[in-house]
Amino acid sequence: MRLILLAAPGAGKGTQAEMLSEHYNIPSISTGAILRKNIKEGTELGKIAAEYINEGRLIPDELMLKVMDERFKQDDCKNGFILDGFPRTIAQAEALSASPIEIDKVLSLEVDDETIIERLGGRLECKSCGSTYHTEHKPPKTPGICDKCGGELGTRADDKPETVRERLHTYHTQTEPLIEYYKNKGLLRVAKGQSEIDATSRVVLEALEA
């Protein structure tokens, strides 16, 4: 399966992408994780990305397309993938549609803004592998330590309330139009985010397998 996940930042897209990756045995490709890795390593891409991310703005289309083109060439994408964070604009979606890659389904995970702002206040991320946790909804087994790699957990700079509101505004104006774009192509599936992660996972799978 080649799947696109659409959701506002903080809606739980990354968590559901991890679940779907295990369920379908295909890689979850998080553009955010790719960019944050480059920021941490101080690459040229990382330096450019940091300026945009810290201000809650989207990375320029041409740069994201170059990053994704390289990622799609890797061997683990041969049997499918889950896209978490790409495409984020109509221009990116059109470029993807014009490429040889055929998308099977697009899932829109819907959560209201106020719930997202509340959730992001407790979000944690592993500084080593990028796995996400939440102080209330998805706590690590050991406080401050990643279950997967043992790395240190911390909060993200772009989870500050003022930055979150800017990110939500950016999502609604630039990414949300993709819902209608993929609906018109007959690829869209919709799942309503629930208060519990397992419940959200159930409605996500139901939407994809209906």
Side-chain angles (χ1 to χ4, degrees), residues 5-14 84-85 88 107-117 119-120 123 156 164-165 167-173 175-176 179 191:
L5 288 185
L6 296 177
K13 187 164 75 284
D84 170 6
R88 289 199 185 216
L107 178 79
S108 175
L109 179 60
E110 300 184 349
V111 179
D112 67 84
D113 285 5
E114 292 309 312
T115 299
I116 286 172
I117 292 169
R119 280 184 187 177
L120 290 182
R123 182 160 70 170
R156 284 167 40 176
V164 170
R165 291 187 184 279
R167 291 170 67 203
L168 287 170
H169 174 72
T170 298
Y171 172 79
H172 291 310
T173 56
T175 304
E176 205 166 55
I179 294 173

PDB file of all heavy atoms in Angstrom, residues 5-14 84-85 88 107-117 119-120 123 156 164-165 167-173 175-176 179 191:
ATOM      1  N   LEU A   5      -1.015  10.205   4.810  1.00  0.00           N
ATOM      2  CA  LEU A   5      -1.757  10.612   5.999  1.00  0.00           C
ATOM      3  C   LEU A   5      -1.834  12.128   6.044  1.00  0.00           C
ATOM      4  O   LEU A   5      -0.808  12.802   5.984  1.00  0.00           O
ATOM      5  CB  LEU A   5      -1.065  10.108   7.267  1.00  0.00           C
ATOM      6  CG  LEU A   5      -1.124   8.621   7.580  1.00  0.00           C
ATOM      7  CD1 LEU A   5      -0.491   8.357   8.947  1.00  0.00           C
ATOM      8  CD2 LEU A   5      -2.546   8.097   7.558  1.00  0.00           C
ATOM      9  N   LEU A   6      -3.045  12.648   6.157  1.00  0.00           N
ATOM     10  CA  LEU A   6      -3.251  14.087   6.295  1.00  0.00           C
ATOM     11  C   LEU A   6      -3.835  14.372   7.672  1.00  0.00           C
ATOM     12  O   LEU A   6      -4.789  13.717   8.087  1.00  0.00           O
ATOM     13  CB  LEU A   6      -4.226  14.602   5.227  1.00  0.00           C
ATOM     14  CG  LEU A   6      -3.799  14.507   3.765  1.00  0.00           C
ATOM     15  CD1 LEU A   6      -4.934  15.004   2.870  1.00  0.00           C
ATOM     16  CD2 LEU A   6      -2.536  15.317   3.522  1.00  0.00           C
ATOM     17  N   ALA A   7      -3.265  15.318   8.371  1.00  0.00           N
ATOM     18  CA  ALA A   7      -3.791  15.723   9.683  1.00  0.00           C
ATOM     19  C   ALA A   7      -3.049  16.969  10.124  1.00  0.00           C
ATOM     20  O   ALA A   7      -1.902  17.190   9.749  1.00  0.00           O
ATOM     21  CB  ALA A   7      -3.620  14.611  10.719  1.00  0.00           C
ATOM     22  N   ALA A   8      -3.724  17.759  10.946  1.00  0.00           N
ATOM     23  CA  ALA A   8      -3.079  18.944  11.501  1.00  0.00           C
ATOM     24  C   ALA A   8      -1.945  18.529  12.427  1.00  0.00           C
ATOM     25  O   ALA A   8      -1.949  17.420  12.966  1.00  0.00           O
ATOM     26  CB  ALA A   8      -4.108  19.774  12.271  1.00  0.00           C
ATOM     27  N   PRO A   9      -0.937  19.381  12.624  1.00  0.00           N
ATOM     28  CA  PRO A   9       0.152  19.046  13.548  1.00  0.00           C
ATOM     29  C   PRO A   9      -0.394  18.790  14.947  1.00  0.00           C
ATOM     30  O   PRO A   9      -1.196  19.566  15.453  1.00  0.00           O
ATOM     31  CB  PRO A   9       1.043  20.298  13.513  1.00  0.00           C
ATOM     32  CG  PRO A   9       0.169  21.389  12.993  1.00  0.00           C
ATOM     33  CD  PRO A   9      -0.796  20.735  12.068  1.00  0.00           C
ATOM     34  N   GLY A  10       0.008  17.658  15.535  1.00  0.00           N
ATOM     35  CA  GLY A  10      -0.457  17.323  16.870  1.00  0.00           C
ATOM     36  C   GLY A  10      -1.720  16.493  16.913  1.00  0.00           C
ATOM     37  O   GLY A  10      -2.211  16.154  17.987  1.00  0.00           O
ATOM     38  N   ALA A  11      -2.250  16.110  15.741  1.00  0.00           N
ATOM     39  CA  ALA A  11      -3.486  15.326  15.691  1.00  0.00           C
ATOM     40  C   ALA A  11      -3.248  13.844  15.990  1.00  0.00           C
ATOM     41  O   ALA A  11      -4.197  13.083  16.150  1.00  0.00           O
ATOM     42  CB  ALA A  11      -4.153  15.479  14.320  1.00  0.00           C
ATOM     43  N   GLY A  12      -1.980  13.440  16.052  1.00  0.00           N
ATOM     44  CA  GLY A  12      -1.668  12.036  16.317  1.00  0.00           C
ATOM     45  C   GLY A  12      -1.274  11.264  15.079  1.00  0.00           C
ATOM     46  O   GLY A  12      -1.248  10.038  15.065  1.00  0.00           O
ATOM     47  N   LYS A  13      -0.925  11.998  14.040  1.00  0.00           N
ATOM     48  CA  LYS A  13      -0.565  11.387  12.755  1.00  0.00           C
ATOM     49  C   LYS A  13       0.642  10.468  12.872  1.00  0.00           C
ATOM     50  O   LYS A  13       0.655   9.358  12.334  1.00  0.00           O
ATOM     51  CB  LYS A  13      -0.303  12.512  11.743  1.00  0.00           C
ATOM     52  CG  LYS A  13      -0.091  12.077  10.319  1.00  0.00           C
ATOM     53  CD  LYS A  13      -0.241  13.244   9.360  1.00  0.00           C
ATOM     54  CE  LYS A  13       0.920  14.215   9.325  1.00  0.00           C
ATOM     55  NZ  LYS A  13       1.073  15.150  10.420  1.00  0.00           N
ATOM     56  N   GLY A  14       1.666  10.920  13.612  1.00  0.00           N
ATOM     57  CA  GLY A  14       2.877  10.117  13.749  1.00  0.00           C
ATOM     58  C   GLY A  14       2.622   8.808  14.471  1.00  0.00           C
ATOM     59  O   GLY A  14       3.138   7.754  14.075  1.00  0.00           O
ATOM     60  N   ASP A  84       3.942  10.633   6.015  1.00  0.00           N
ATOM     61  CA  ASP A  84       3.535  11.436   7.161  1.00  0.00           C
ATOM     62  C   ASP A  84       4.191  12.809   7.026  1.00  0.00           C
ATOM     63  O   ASP A  84       5.359  12.983   7.329  1.00  0.00           O
ATOM     64  CB  ASP A  84       3.992  10.727   8.445  1.00  0.00           C
ATOM     65  CG  ASP A  84       3.833  11.585   9.699  1.00  0.00           C
ATOM     66  OD1 ASP A  84       3.276  12.684   9.608  1.00  0.00           O
ATOM     67  OD2 ASP A  84       4.293  11.143  10.768  1.00  0.00           O
ATOM     68  N   GLY A  85       3.422  13.775   6.524  1.00  0.00           N
ATOM     69  CA  GLY A  85       3.960  15.127   6.372  1.00  0.00           C
ATOM     70  C   GLY A  85       4.283  15.518   4.937  1.00  0.00           C
ATOM     71  O   GLY A  85       4.846  16.587   4.698  1.00  0.00           O
ATOM     72  N   ARG A  88       2.351  18.538   1.522  1.00  0.00           N
ATOM     73  CA  ARG A  88       1.735  19.516   2.419  1.00  0.00           C
ATOM     74  C   ARG A  88       1.106  20.681   1.664  1.00  0.00           C
ATOM     75  O   ARG A  88       0.474  21.537   2.279  1.00  0.00           O
ATOM     76  CB  ARG A  88       2.781  20.061   3.398  1.00  0.00           C
ATOM     77  CG  ARG A  88       3.188  19.038   4.429  1.00  0.00           C
ATOM     78  CD  ARG A  88       3.832  19.683   5.624  1.00  0.00           C
ATOM     79  NE  ARG A  88       4.337  18.702   6.569  1.00  0.00           N
ATOM     80  CZ  ARG A  88       4.320  18.841   7.876  1.00  0.00           C
ATOM     81  NH1 ARG A  88       3.801  19.928   8.407  1.00  0.00           N
ATOM     82  NH2 ARG A  88       4.809  17.920   8.663  1.00  0.00           N
ATOM     83  N   LEU A 107      -5.644   9.182   3.808  1.00  0.00           N
ATOM     84  CA  LEU A 107      -6.452   9.218   5.025  1.00  0.00           C
ATOM     85  C   LEU A 107      -6.358  10.587   5.683  1.00  0.00           C
ATOM     86  O   LEU A 107      -5.265  11.074   5.961  1.00  0.00           O
ATOM     87  CB  LEU A 107      -5.975   8.159   6.018  1.00  0.00           C
ATOM     88  CG  LEU A 107      -6.762   8.173   7.339  1.00  0.00           C
ATOM     89  CD1 LEU A 107      -8.101   7.471   7.168  1.00  0.00           C
ATOM     90  CD2 LEU A 107      -5.974   7.532   8.462  1.00  0.00           C
ATOM     91  N   SER A 108      -7.513  11.186   5.947  1.00  0.00           N
ATOM     92  CA  SER A 108      -7.565  12.443   6.687  1.00  0.00           C
ATOM     93  C   SER A 108      -7.991  12.140   8.117  1.00  0.00           C
ATOM     94  O   SER A 108      -9.086  11.633   8.364  1.00  0.00           O
ATOM     95  CB  SER A 108      -8.569  13.406   6.047  1.00  0.00           C
ATOM     96  OG  SER A 108      -8.709  14.576   6.827  1.00  0.00           O
ATOM     97  N   LEU A 109      -7.088  12.418   9.073  1.00  0.00           N
ATOM     98  CA  LEU A 109      -7.371  12.224  10.500  1.00  0.00           C
ATOM     99  C   LEU A 109      -7.794  13.565  11.075  1.00  0.00           C
ATOM    100  O   LEU A 109      -7.003  14.506  11.121  1.00  0.00           O
ATOM    101  CB  LEU A 109      -6.119  11.693  11.210  1.00  0.00           C
ATOM    102  CG  LEU A 109      -6.222  11.452  12.718  1.00  0.00           C
ATOM    103  CD1 LEU A 109      -7.308  10.443  13.043  1.00  0.00           C
ATOM    104  CD2 LEU A 109      -4.874  10.996  13.268  1.00  0.00           C
ATOM    105  N   GLU A 110      -9.046  13.659  11.521  1.00  0.00           N
ATOM    106  CA  GLU A 110      -9.618  14.944  11.909  1.00  0.00           C
ATOM    107  C   GLU A 110      -9.704  15.111  13.432  1.00  0.00           C
ATOM    108  O   GLU A 110     -10.299  14.277  14.113  1.00  0.00           O
ATOM    109  CB  GLU A 110     -11.000  15.099  11.274  1.00  0.00           C
ATOM    110  CG  GLU A 110     -10.950  15.056   9.744  1.00  0.00           C
ATOM    111  CD  GLU A 110     -12.294  15.303   9.112  1.00  0.00           C
ATOM    112  OE1 GLU A 110     -13.312  15.313   9.834  1.00  0.00           O
ATOM    113  OE2 GLU A 110     -12.329  15.491   7.880  1.00  0.00           O
ATOM    114  N   VAL A 111      -9.086  16.190  13.927  1.00  0.00           N
ATOM    115  CA  VAL A 111      -9.107  16.547  15.350  1.00  0.00           C
ATOM    116  C   VAL A 111      -9.241  18.069  15.429  1.00  0.00           C
ATOM    117  O   VAL A 111      -8.587  18.790  14.661  1.00  0.00           O
ATOM    118  CB  VAL A 111      -7.806  16.097  16.067  1.00  0.00           C
ATOM    119  CG1 VAL A 111      -7.832  16.503  17.537  1.00  0.00           C
ATOM    120  CG2 VAL A 111      -7.613  14.580  15.939  1.00  0.00           C
ATOM    121  N   ASP A 112     -10.095  18.576  16.356  1.00  0.00           N
ATOM    122  CA  ASP A 112     -10.292  20.027  16.425  1.00  0.00           C
ATOM    123  C   ASP A 112      -9.068  20.730  17.021  1.00  0.00           C
ATOM    124  O   ASP A 112      -8.291  20.139  17.771  1.00  0.00           O
ATOM    125  CB  ASP A 112     -11.552  20.377  17.215  1.00  0.00           C
ATOM    126  CG  ASP A 112     -11.438  20.022  18.690  1.00  0.00           C
ATOM    127  OD1 ASP A 112     -10.874  20.831  19.454  1.00  0.00           O
ATOM    128  OD2 ASP A 112     -11.887  18.928  19.080  1.00  0.00           O
ATOM    129  N   ASP A 113      -8.922  22.002  16.676  1.00  0.00           N
ATOM    130  CA  ASP A 113      -7.730  22.774  17.035  1.00  0.00           C
ATOM    131  C   ASP A 113      -7.472  22.845  18.536  1.00  0.00           C
ATOM    132  O   ASP A 113      -6.327  22.718  18.986  1.00  0.00           O
ATOM    133  CB  ASP A 113      -7.828  24.202  16.479  1.00  0.00           C
ATOM    134  CG  ASP A 113      -7.581  24.254  14.982  1.00  0.00           C
ATOM    135  OD1 ASP A 113      -7.421  23.183  14.362  1.00  0.00           O
ATOM    136  OD2 ASP A 113      -7.552  25.373  14.420  1.00  0.00           O
ATOM    137  N   GLU A 114      -8.517  23.093  19.337  1.00  0.00           N
ATOM    138  CA  GLU A 114      -8.308  23.257  20.779  1.00  0.00           C
ATOM    139  C   GLU A 114      -7.789  21.976  21.416  1.00  0.00           C
ATOM    140  O   GLU A 114      -6.956  22.016  22.328  1.00  0.00           O
ATOM    141  CB  GLU A 114      -9.603  23.730  21.451  1.00  0.00           C
ATOM    142  CG  GLU A 114     -10.004  25.147  21.072  1.00  0.00           C
ATOM    143  CD  GLU A 114      -8.872  26.149  21.235  1.00  0.00           C
ATOM    144  OE1 GLU A 114      -8.219  26.153  22.298  1.00  0.00           O
ATOM    145  OE2 GLU A 114      -8.614  26.917  20.287  1.00  0.00           O
ATOM    146  N   THR A 115      -8.268  20.833  20.934  1.00  0.00           N
ATOM    147  CA  THR A 115      -7.777  19.551  21.437  1.00  0.00           C
ATOM    148  C   THR A 115      -6.296  19.400  21.105  1.00  0.00           C
ATOM    149  O   THR A 115      -5.499  18.934  21.925  1.00  0.00           O
ATOM    150  CB  THR A 115      -8.571  18.383  20.822  1.00  0.00           C
ATOM    151  OG1 THR A 115      -9.945  18.503  21.195  1.00  0.00           O
ATOM    152  CG2 THR A 115      -8.036  17.041  21.303  1.00  0.00           C
ATOM    153  N   ILE A 116      -5.916  19.820  19.900  1.00  0.00           N
ATOM    154  CA  ILE A 116      -4.522  19.726  19.473  1.00  0.00           C
ATOM    155  C   ILE A 116      -3.615  20.608  20.343  1.00  0.00           C
ATOM    156  O   ILE A 116      -2.552  20.171  20.793  1.00  0.00           O
ATOM    157  CB  ILE A 116      -4.397  20.134  17.993  1.00  0.00           C
ATOM    158  CG1 ILE A 116      -4.948  19.012  17.105  1.00  0.00           C
ATOM    159  CG2 ILE A 116      -2.944  20.455  17.624  1.00  0.00           C
ATOM    160  CD1 ILE A 116      -5.056  19.377  15.649  1.00  0.00           C
ATOM    161  N   ILE A 117      -4.037  21.827  20.598  1.00  0.00           N
ATOM    162  CA  ILE A 117      -3.235  22.745  21.408  1.00  0.00           C
ATOM    163  C   ILE A 117      -3.018  22.164  22.806  1.00  0.00           C
ATOM    164  O   ILE A 117      -1.919  22.224  23.372  1.00  0.00           O
ATOM    165  CB  ILE A 117      -3.915  24.131  21.480  1.00  0.00           C
ATOM    166  CG1 ILE A 117      -3.875  24.802  20.096  1.00  0.00           C
ATOM    167  CG2 ILE A 117      -3.236  25.021  22.520  1.00  0.00           C
ATOM    168  CD1 ILE A 117      -4.733  26.040  19.981  1.00  0.00           C
ATOM    169  N   ARG A 119      -3.125  18.913  23.611  1.00  0.00           N
ATOM    170  CA  ARG A 119      -2.279  17.723  23.492  1.00  0.00           C
ATOM    171  C   ARG A 119      -0.797  18.078  23.383  1.00  0.00           C
ATOM    172  O   ARG A 119       0.050  17.449  24.015  1.00  0.00           O
ATOM    173  CB  ARG A 119      -2.670  16.925  22.239  1.00  0.00           C
ATOM    174  CG  ARG A 119      -3.888  16.059  22.385  1.00  0.00           C
ATOM    175  CD  ARG A 119      -4.071  15.281  21.104  1.00  0.00           C
ATOM    176  NE  ARG A 119      -5.311  14.527  21.085  1.00  0.00           N
ATOM    177  CZ  ARG A 119      -5.713  13.826  20.046  1.00  0.00           C
ATOM    178  NH1 ARG A 119      -4.995  13.791  18.947  1.00  0.00           N
ATOM    179  NH2 ARG A 119      -6.849  13.155  20.102  1.00  0.00           N
ATOM    180  N   LEU A 120      -0.496  19.070  22.555  1.00  0.00           N
ATOM    181  CA  LEU A 120       0.905  19.384  22.292  1.00  0.00           C
ATOM    182  C   LEU A 120       1.636  19.898  23.520  1.00  0.00           C
ATOM    183  O   LEU A 120       2.865  19.848  23.579  1.00  0.00           O
ATOM    184  CB  LEU A 120       1.015  20.388  21.142  1.00  0.00           C
ATOM    185  CG  LEU A 120       0.654  19.839  19.763  1.00  0.00           C
ATOM    186  CD1 LEU A 120       0.850  20.904  18.696  1.00  0.00           C
ATOM    187  CD2 LEU A 120       1.474  18.613  19.424  1.00  0.00           C
ATOM    188  N   ARG A 123       3.484  16.838  24.745  1.00  0.00           N
ATOM    189  CA  ARG A 123       4.176  15.951  23.812  1.00  0.00           C
ATOM    190  C   ARG A 123       5.672  15.885  24.108  1.00  0.00           C
ATOM    191  O   ARG A 123       6.307  16.879  24.438  1.00  0.00           O
ATOM    192  CB  ARG A 123       3.966  16.410  22.361  1.00  0.00           C
ATOM    193  CG  ARG A 123       4.641  15.467  21.372  1.00  0.00           C
ATOM    194  CD  ARG A 123       4.076  15.578  19.980  1.00  0.00           C
ATOM    195  NE  ARG A 123       4.410  16.821  19.305  1.00  0.00           N
ATOM    196  CZ  ARG A 123       4.174  17.040  18.015  1.00  0.00           C
ATOM    197  NH1 ARG A 123       3.585  16.114  17.286  1.00  0.00           N
ATOM    198  NH2 ARG A 123       4.502  18.196  17.460  1.00  0.00           N
ATOM    199  N   ARG A 156       9.622  19.698  21.931  1.00  0.00           N
ATOM    200  CA  ARG A 156      10.052  20.298  20.678  1.00  0.00           C
ATOM    201  C   ARG A 156       9.864  21.812  20.713  1.00  0.00           C
ATOM    202  O   ARG A 156       8.890  22.313  21.270  1.00  0.00           O
ATOM    203  CB  ARG A 156       9.255  19.705  19.516  1.00  0.00           C
ATOM    204  CG  ARG A 156       9.723  18.330  19.148  1.00  0.00           C
ATOM    205  CD  ARG A 156       8.788  17.590  18.226  1.00  0.00           C
ATOM    206  NE  ARG A 156       8.194  18.404  17.177  1.00  0.00           N
ATOM    207  CZ  ARG A 156       7.406  17.889  16.233  1.00  0.00           C
ATOM    208  NH1 ARG A 156       7.137  16.596  16.219  1.00  0.00           N
ATOM    209  NH2 ARG A 156       6.871  18.662  15.308  1.00  0.00           N
ATOM    210  N   VAL A 164       2.459  26.760  17.840  1.00  0.00           N
ATOM    211  CA  VAL A 164       1.413  25.786  17.490  1.00  0.00           C
ATOM    212  C   VAL A 164       0.279  26.480  16.741  1.00  0.00           C
ATOM    213  O   VAL A 164      -0.211  25.979  15.727  1.00  0.00           O
ATOM    214  CB  VAL A 164       0.865  25.090  18.759  1.00  0.00           C
ATOM    215  CG1 VAL A 164      -0.381  24.269  18.424  1.00  0.00           C
ATOM    216  CG2 VAL A 164       1.927  24.185  19.359  1.00  0.00           C
ATOM    217  N   ARG A 165      -0.140  27.643  17.237  1.00  0.00           N
ATOM    218  CA  ARG A 165      -1.232  28.359  16.559  1.00  0.00           C
ATOM    219  C   ARG A 165      -0.829  28.768  15.145  1.00  0.00           C
ATOM    220  O   ARG A 165      -1.639  28.712  14.217  1.00  0.00           O
ATOM    221  CB  ARG A 165      -1.649  29.580  17.389  1.00  0.00           C
ATOM    222  CG  ARG A 165      -2.331  29.196  18.693  1.00  0.00           C
ATOM    223  CD  ARG A 165      -2.895  30.390  19.435  1.00  0.00           C
ATOM    224  NE  ARG A 165      -3.456  29.997  20.715  1.00  0.00           N
ATOM    225  CZ  ARG A 165      -4.662  29.469  20.891  1.00  0.00           C
ATOM    226  NH1 ARG A 165      -5.452  29.295  19.830  1.00  0.00           N
ATOM    227  NH2 ARG A 165      -5.097  29.125  22.084  1.00  0.00           N
ATOM    228  N   ARG A 167       1.363  27.153  13.294  1.00  0.00           N
ATOM    229  CA  ARG A 167       1.403  25.911  12.517  1.00  0.00           C
ATOM    230  C   ARG A 167      -0.001  25.472  12.101  1.00  0.00           C
ATOM    231  O   ARG A 167      -0.211  24.988  10.986  1.00  0.00           O
ATOM    232  CB  ARG A 167       2.084  24.802  13.340  1.00  0.00           C
ATOM    233  CG  ARG A 167       3.570  25.032  13.557  1.00  0.00           C
ATOM    234  CD  ARG A 167       4.120  24.042  14.565  1.00  0.00           C
ATOM    235  NE  ARG A 167       4.091  22.674  14.057  1.00  0.00           N
ATOM    236  CZ  ARG A 167       4.080  21.600  14.841  1.00  0.00           C
ATOM    237  NH1 ARG A 167       4.076  21.727  16.151  1.00  0.00           N
ATOM    238  NH2 ARG A 167       4.072  20.407  14.310  1.00  0.00           N
ATOM    239  N   LEU A 168      -0.971  25.637  13.009  1.00  0.00           N
ATOM    240  CA  LEU A 168      -2.355  25.284  12.685  1.00  0.00           C
ATOM    241  C   LEU A 168      -2.907  26.191  11.590  1.00  0.00           C
ATOM    242  O   LEU A 168      -3.598  25.735  10.678  1.00  0.00           O
ATOM    243  CB  LEU A 168      -3.234  25.354  13.933  1.00  0.00           C
ATOM    244  CG  LEU A 168      -3.025  24.221  14.949  1.00  0.00           C
ATOM    245  CD1 LEU A 168      -3.760  24.530  16.256  1.00  0.00           C
ATOM    246  CD2 LEU A 168      -3.486  22.892  14.382  1.00  0.00           C
ATOM    247  N   HIS A 169      -2.583  27.480  11.688  1.00  0.00           N
ATOM    248  CA  HIS A 169      -3.011  28.425  10.637  1.00  0.00           C
ATOM    249  C   HIS A 169      -2.409  28.026   9.289  1.00  0.00           C
ATOM    250  O   HIS A 169      -3.097  28.027   8.263  1.00  0.00           O
ATOM    251  CB  HIS A 169      -2.589  29.845  11.013  1.00  0.00           C
ATOM    252  CG  HIS A 169      -2.859  30.849   9.933  1.00  0.00           C
ATOM    253  ND1 HIS A 169      -4.127  31.283   9.614  1.00  0.00           N
ATOM    254  CD2 HIS A 169      -2.004  31.481   9.071  1.00  0.00           C
ATOM    255  CE1 HIS A 169      -4.053  32.144   8.608  1.00  0.00           C
ATOM    256  NE2 HIS A 169      -2.783  32.289   8.264  1.00  0.00           N
ATOM    257  N   THR A 170      -1.129  27.664   9.311  1.00  0.00           N
ATOM    258  CA  THR A 170      -0.456  27.238   8.081  1.00  0.00           C
ATOM    259  C   THR A 170      -1.112  25.979   7.524  1.00  0.00           C
ATOM    260  O   THR A 170      -1.333  25.863   6.308  1.00  0.00           O
ATOM    261  CB  THR A 170       1.037  26.961   8.356  1.00  0.00           C
ATOM    262  OG1 THR A 170       1.654  28.166   8.805  1.00  0.00           O
ATOM    263  CG2 THR A 170       1.748  26.472   7.098  1.00  0.00           C
ATOM    264  N   TYR A 171      -1.452  25.038   8.420  1.00  0.00           N
ATOM    265  CA  TYR A 171      -2.107  23.801   7.973  1.00  0.00           C
ATOM    266  C   TYR A 171      -3.444  24.103   7.295  1.00  0.00           C
ATOM    267  O   TYR A 171      -3.732  23.609   6.201  1.00  0.00           O
ATOM    268  CB  TYR A 171      -2.335  22.854   9.162  1.00  0.00           C
ATOM    269  CG  TYR A 171      -3.178  21.655   8.789  1.00  0.00           C
ATOM    270  CD1 TYR A 171      -2.620  20.572   8.106  1.00  0.00           C
ATOM    271  CD2 TYR A 171      -4.536  21.618   9.085  1.00  0.00           C
ATOM    272  CE1 TYR A 171      -3.396  19.489   7.728  1.00  0.00           C
ATOM    273  CE2 TYR A 171      -5.324  20.536   8.715  1.00  0.00           C
ATOM    274  CZ  TYR A 171      -4.744  19.471   8.041  1.00  0.00           C
ATOM    275  OH  TYR A 171      -5.527  18.402   7.649  1.00  0.00           O
ATOM    276  N   HIS A 172      -4.260  24.918   7.940  1.00  0.00           N
ATOM    277  CA  HIS A 172      -5.597  25.193   7.402  1.00  0.00           C
ATOM    278  C   HIS A 172      -5.541  25.924   6.062  1.00  0.00           C
ATOM    279  O   HIS A 172      -6.384  25.691   5.190  1.00  0.00           O
ATOM    280  CB  HIS A 172      -6.410  26.011   8.414  1.00  0.00           C
ATOM    281  CG  HIS A 172      -6.782  25.235   9.646  1.00  0.00           C
ATOM    282  ND1 HIS A 172      -7.376  23.993   9.600  1.00  0.00           N
ATOM    283  CD2 HIS A 172      -6.631  25.520  10.969  1.00  0.00           C
ATOM    284  CE1 HIS A 172      -7.590  23.547  10.827  1.00  0.00           C
ATOM    285  NE2 HIS A 172      -7.129  24.456  11.675  1.00  0.00           N
ATOM    286  N   THR A 173      -4.563  26.785   5.898  1.00  0.00           N
ATOM    287  CA  THR A 173      -4.505  27.568   4.659  1.00  0.00           C
ATOM    288  C   THR A 173      -3.771  26.849   3.528  1.00  0.00           C
ATOM    289  O   THR A 173      -4.149  26.987   2.354  1.00  0.00           O
ATOM    290  CB  THR A 173      -3.824  28.924   4.902  1.00  0.00           C
ATOM    291  OG1 THR A 173      -2.525  28.720   5.465  1.00  0.00           O
ATOM    292  CG2 THR A 173      -4.650  29.785   5.842  1.00  0.00           C
ATOM    293  N   THR A 175      -2.352  23.239   3.704  1.00  0.00           N
ATOM    294  CA  THR A 175      -2.425  21.781   3.592  1.00  0.00           C
ATOM    295  C   THR A 175      -3.853  21.266   3.520  1.00  0.00           C
ATOM    296  O   THR A 175      -4.141  20.310   2.797  1.00  0.00           O
ATOM    297  CB  THR A 175      -1.693  21.112   4.784  1.00  0.00           C
ATOM    298  OG1 THR A 175      -0.348  21.598   4.819  1.00  0.00           O
ATOM    299  CG2 THR A 175      -1.659  19.595   4.623  1.00  0.00           C
ATOM    300  N   GLU A 176      -4.764  21.881   4.245  1.00  0.00           N
ATOM    301  CA  GLU A 176      -6.157  21.420   4.256  1.00  0.00           C
ATOM    302  C   GLU A 176      -6.790  21.334   2.870  1.00  0.00           C
ATOM    303  O   GLU A 176      -7.623  20.439   2.629  1.00  0.00           O
ATOM    304  CB  GLU A 176      -6.994  22.321   5.174  1.00  0.00           C
ATOM    305  CG  GLU A 176      -8.220  21.638   5.734  1.00  0.00           C
ATOM    306  CD  GLU A 176      -8.824  22.436   6.878  1.00  0.00           C
ATOM    307  OE1 GLU A 176      -9.117  23.628   6.682  1.00  0.00           O
ATOM    308  OE2 GLU A 176      -8.988  21.869   7.964  1.00  0.00           O
ATOM    309  N   ILE A 179      -7.363  17.914   1.153  1.00  0.00           N
ATOM    310  CA  ILE A 179      -8.497  17.024   1.431  1.00  0.00           C
ATOM    311  C   ILE A 179      -9.455  17.017   0.243  1.00  0.00           C
ATOM    312  O   ILE A 179      -9.862  15.959  -0.247  1.00  0.00           O
ATOM    313  CB  ILE A 179      -9.215  17.457   2.726  1.00  0.00           C
ATOM    314  CG1 ILE A 179      -8.284  17.252   3.928  1.00  0.00           C
ATOM    315  CG2 ILE A 179     -10.520  16.681   2.909  1.00  0.00           C
ATOM    316  CD1 ILE A 179      -8.828  17.797   5.236  1.00  0.00           C
ATOM    317  N   ALA A 191     -11.140   9.640   9.044  1.00  0.00           N
ATOM    318  CA  ALA A 191     -11.267   9.046  10.374  1.00  0.00           C
ATOM    319  C   ALA A 191     -11.293  10.168  11.401  1.00  0.00           C
ATOM    320  O   ALA A 191     -10.485  11.090  11.329  1.00  0.00           O
ATOM    321  CB  ALA A 191     -10.106   8.099  10.654  1.00  0.00           C
TER     322      ALA A 191
END
